[in-house]
Amino acid sequence: MIDRRRTVSLAHLGMLLWALLVGLSFPAVGLMSEGLPPLLLTSIRFFIAALALAPLLWRHAGGWPERRALGLYALMGLSLACFFGAMFWAAHRVSALSMATLFVSVPLLAYCIGRGLRVEQPAGRLLAILALGAVGALGLAWAENGGDFAGLSLGVGELVFFGGCVASALYPVLSKWGLQRGWLARQAGLRTFWSLLIGALLIGTFGLFVDERGGLLRMTLSDAALVAYLGVFSSGVTFFLQQRATAVLTPGAVTAYSYLVPFVSMLLLFFAQPQRIGWHWLPGSTLVLVAIGLLLRQGARDP
């Protein structure tokens, strides 16, 4: 029981690091040159992440997946491709507030899909924590928009991005489902490698038809360094931490840490623009911290 609690605690701590790395990735992306093809860059990031994890294929026996596992990895990669494809397509058609508001639904979607696939148990406490975190994340989106919900709308772009959110929620659910049936590798690194590699192929293929391929020629050395950093840390390490946590936590609990990402972004904003500090940030940030605190407490109590 002590080993189980230690494993659960490490999973929660890993997801705290996940939230920090994801939150720090946004400023890094902002440092890149404008006009670069986003989908092709995402594909390159995923390839770099997979390359960093490739030695695991030789370290672990049975690193090559069976046919049914390969099909499941393909679905996981497709979920990544759908999310990033929807995000980049909607970026120029949907307001940042609408996207932030819709993304709040991911943990609740993961819980509901997980219940349907029987990888989540009925858990009123977890559902309440997810709802509390969602309200807090909405509060942070409200504060980021200047204290109002102007610009919030529902149209085709919002529906496409919501479909991407469903795909994002599906990724940890499929991982958990495959683990419970013994289809996927027990090693988190191998699961991360195959899902990122297949995701890179799918996103890259989509990008060849959507992005301006010549845009990659405008990359500078600093852009290449940033892509390498994002590939190893913002893609490789974060997906590894998510896969490791998925083995012991439920999909809803894993995705709940996405509520911390806007909190990290808020702290970075305060550091860069302290004049933007105001009371309107307090309600959302307080609710997010309370939700994560309750999630950690629940993890410590679970046998």
Side-chain angles (χ1 to χ4, degrees), residues 97-240:
L97 176 63
S98 293
M99 293 180 72
T101 302
L102 289 170
F103 191 71
V104 165
S105 66
V106 170
L108 291 169
L109 286 169
Y111 175 82
C112 293
I113 298 173
R115 288 284 293 118
L117 292 180
R118 297 183 180 179
V119 296
E120 288 271 11
Q121 299 298 320
R125 182 182 175 85
L126 176 60
L127 195 56
I129 291 173
L130 295 180
L132 183 66
V135 173
L138 284 174
L140 289 175
W142 169 79
E144 173 68 20
N145 202 50
D148 62 53
F149 281 109
L152 185 63
S153 60
L154 182 62
V156 175
E158 285 80 9
L159 291 175
V160 170
F161 183 69
F162 180 73
C165 290
V166 175
S168 179
L170 192 58
Y171 178 81
V173 175
L174 288 175
S175 300
K176 192 74 173 182
W177 188 84
L179 278 170
Q180 288 187 350
R181 279 151 185 79
W183 289 14
L184 301 183
R186 304 308 302 178
Q187 297 84 4
L190 290 179
R191 298 196 304 274
T192 308
F193 170 81
W194 286 111
S195 60
L196 282 174
L197 179 63
I198 296 175
L201 291 171
L202 293 171
I203 295 171
T205 301
F206 185 51
L208 289 175
F209 293 97
V210 176
D211 285 344
E212 179 190 352
R213 280 169 280 181
L216 289 175
L217 299 177
R218 294 193 291 269
M219 286 184 64
T220 64
L221 287 176
S222 61
D223 290 331
L226 283 170
V227 170
Y229 163 80
L230 291 169
V232 174
F233 292 98
S234 297
S235 296
V237 174
T238 57
F239 276 98
F240 170 80

Side-chain angles (χ1 to χ4, degrees), residues 16 28 70 79 101 107 122 133 146-147 154 207 220 244 252 272 294:
L16 288 173
L70 196 59
S79 69
T101 302
L154 182 62
T220 64
R244 190 182 69 168
L294 291 173

Side-chain angles (χ1 to χ4, degrees), residues 135-136 139-140 142-143 263 266 270 276-290:
V135 173
L140 289 175
W142 169 79
F263 181 80
M266 179 194 72
F270 289 170
R276 294 194 61 178
I277 298 176
W279 68 269
H280 55 290
W281 294 93
L282 184 60
S285 58
T286 300
L287 291 177
V288 166
L289 289 178
V290 169

Side-chain angles (χ1 to χ4, degrees), residues 43-56:
S43 178
I44 293 172
R45 280 175 54 178
F46 280 17
F47 271 121
I48 291 173
L51 184 63
L53 294 167
L56 294 175

